[in-house]
C-alpha cells in the first residue's frame, strides 16, 4: 500500500519522538511491503518563527491532500518563550485548534492501557491494577458545552453566566457510528456515558446511540451515568472497552483514564473525521524541560503511528506488530527516563525507537 502522510514534528521533543515513529513505520513498510511517503510541514512555534503564523493556509491545504497527519507536539515554555507574548490567536496552540477545525476532526480517541511491566506506576490498589485494563475513550470534540452560546451579564442586578449545551442528532450519530466501528476492531463492547437522568442532550444521545447499536448486533451496548463512570474508572477499569461520550465528560474522563496508566510518555491519541482521515499525536505536550536531550519517551508517538495504521489504513496486522514490539521491549526491561524505576538503567529516545523497530 502507498500511504501519504503529512508529518508535523512541531516543537520541543516533537522532532525527537516523531523521528522515532517514522523509523518504526519504515521498519513496518520494509517487513509488510508498504511505502510511507512523508511530507514534512511546520506548525506551532517553529511555524511562527518562519512565517509569523502558527499554521498557514498553505500548510492546511497540503495536510488536507494527504491520507493522515502524524503530529509531534507544539508549544514551548509558557512562562519564558517569546511565543507567549503574542496575542492568543497567534500563539502555537492556535495552530492546533485551527488544524482540528479545518480538518473537521470531531472524534477524539484516547486509549488507556496498563502494561503489566509498568503496573507499579498505576496509582490504583494492587488488586485492581493486577487485573490490568485496556480501554478506548471516544470523546466528541466539536460540539456540546465548549462550543455553545455563552455570555455573562447582569440580570436584575445580579451577575449571571450562561453556557449552552447543544447537540443535534447528526452530530451524535456520526460519532456513535465511529464508536461502534472501533469496538468491532476491539473487544466489541460500547459504554455510552451520559447524564440522562438530568440532561435533555444526554437523552438524545441515548436515543440515537440505541438506534445505531441495532446495526451492530455483535457489539454489547450499555449506558452508564457519568458520575458512576468516574467511580468505576478507579474501582474496576477492566470492565470498559470503548467508552463513548460527549465533549466535556470526555475531557474529564480521558484525563482520569490517562492518570491511572501512570505515564504520559506512553499515551497515544487520534482525532478522526467522517472519512478515514485522521490526525495522530501523543497525548502529552512538547515537554520543553527535556527537549533536545534525546531522553524523551517516543512510545506514545510510536503507538499513535500504530493507531494511524489501524484506523486510517485498515492495516490491523501491521498495527499489531508495532504494539507487540512495544510490549516486547518493555518485557525485556528497556525503559526511558519517565518509566524507569530509581536505579534502573535508562535508554535514550533514539535507542528506544531502534529497539522497537528491530522487533517489528
Ligand atoms: P507536557 O506534557 O509537555 O509535560 C509534562 C511533564 O511530562 C514534563 O515533566 C515532561 O518532561 C513530561 N513528559 C511529557 N511527554 C514526555 C515524554 N514523551 N517522555 C518523557 N517525559 C515526558 O505538558 P506541559 O509542560 O504542561 O506543556 C508544555 C508545552 O506543551 C506547553 O507549551 C503546552 O501548551 C504544550 N502542549 C501541547 C500539546 C499538543 O501539542 N497537543 C498538548 C499539551 C501541551
Amino acid at each position: 500500500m502507498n500511504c501519504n502522510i503529512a508529518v508535523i514534528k512541531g516543537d520541543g521533543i516533537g522532532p525527537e519522538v516523531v523521528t522515532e515513529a517514522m523509523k518504526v513505520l519504515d521498519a513496518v513498510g520494509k517487513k509488510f511491503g508498504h511505502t510511507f511517503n512523508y511530507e514534512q510541514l511546520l506548525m506551532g512555534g517553529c511555524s511562527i518563527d518562519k512565517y509569523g503564523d502558527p499554521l498557514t493556509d498553505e500548510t492546511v491545504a497540503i495536510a488536507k491532500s494527504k491520507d493522515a497527519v502524524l503530529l509531534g507536539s507544539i508549544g514551548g515554555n509558557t512562562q519564558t518563550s517569546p511565543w507567549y507574548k503574542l496575542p492568543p490567536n497567534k500563539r502555537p496552540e492556535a495552530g492546533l485548534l485551527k488544524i482540528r477545525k479545518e480538518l473537521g476532526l470531531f472524534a477524539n480517541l484516547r486509549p488507556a492501557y496498563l502494561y503489566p511491566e509498568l503496573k507499579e506506576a498505576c496509582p490504583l490498589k494492587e488488586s485492581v491494577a493486577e487485573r490490568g485494563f485496556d480501554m478506548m475513550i471516544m470523546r466528541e470534540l466539536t460540539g456540546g458545552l465548549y462550543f455553545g452560546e455563552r455570555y455573562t451579564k447582569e440580570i436584575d442586578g445580579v451577575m449571571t453566566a450562561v453556557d449552552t449545551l447543544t447537540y443535534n442528532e447528526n452530530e451524535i450519530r456520526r460519532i456513535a457510528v465511529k464508536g461502534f466501528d472501533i469496538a468491532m476492531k476491539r473487544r466489541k463492547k460500547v459504554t455510552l456515558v451520559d447524564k440522562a437522568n438530568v440532561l435533555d442532550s444526554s437523552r438524545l444521545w441515548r436515543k440515537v446511540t440505541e438506534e445505531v447499536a441495532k446495526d451492530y448486533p455483535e457489539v454489547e451496548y450499555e449506558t452508564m451515568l457519568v458520575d458512576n463512570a468516574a467511580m468505576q474508572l478507579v474501582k474496576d477499569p477492566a470492565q470498559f472497552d470503548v467508552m463513548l461520550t460527549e465533549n466535556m465528560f470526555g475531557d474529564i474522563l480521558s484525563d482520569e483514564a490517562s492518570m491511572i496508566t501512570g505515564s504520559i510518555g506512553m499515551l497515544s491519541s487520534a482525532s478522526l473525521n467522517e472519512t478515514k482521515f485522521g490526525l495522530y499525536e501523543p497525548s502529552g505536550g512538547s515537554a520543553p524541560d527535556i527537549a533536545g536531550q534525546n531522553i524523551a519517551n517516543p512510545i506514545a508517538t510510536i503507538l499513535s503511528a500504530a493507531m494511524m495504521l489501524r484506523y486510517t489504513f485498515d492495516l490491523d496486522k501491521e498495527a499489531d506488530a508495532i504494539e507487540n514490539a512495544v510490549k516486547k521491549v518493555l518485557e525485556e526491561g528497556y525503559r526511558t527516563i519517565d518509566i524507569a524505576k530509581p536505579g534502573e538503567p535508562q535508554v535514550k529516545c533514539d535507542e528506544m525507537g531502534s529497539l522497537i523497530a528491530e522487533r517489528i
Side-chain angles (χ1 to χ4, degrees), residues 13 73-76 84 93 96 264 281 285-290 297 338:
I13 60 168
S73 41
I74 50 113
Y84 296 92
E93 287 69 18
L96 201 56
I264 186 88
E281 58 177 327
S286 60
D289 53 333
I290 57 166
N297 186 348
D338 57 318

Side-chain angles (χ1 to χ4, degrees), residues 142-152 161-168 171 199 201 246-248:
T142 57
L145 205 53
Y146 298 171
F147 290 87
E149 192 197 346
R150 70 173 57 96
Y151 56 86
T152 305
V162 173
D163 294 289
T164 322
L165 203 180
T166 309
Y167 273 108
N168 69 43
E171 290 172 304
L199 300 175
S201 57
E246 60 94 62
N247 201 344
M248 185 176 67

Side-chain angles (χ1 to χ4, degrees), residues 114 116 119-120 122-133 237:
L114 185 64
K119 65 172 189 281
E120 281 169 38
C122 171
L124 301 181
K125 270 201 300 207
E126 205 179 323
S127 57
V128 178
E130 208 51 59
R131 298 181 54 210
F133 53 83

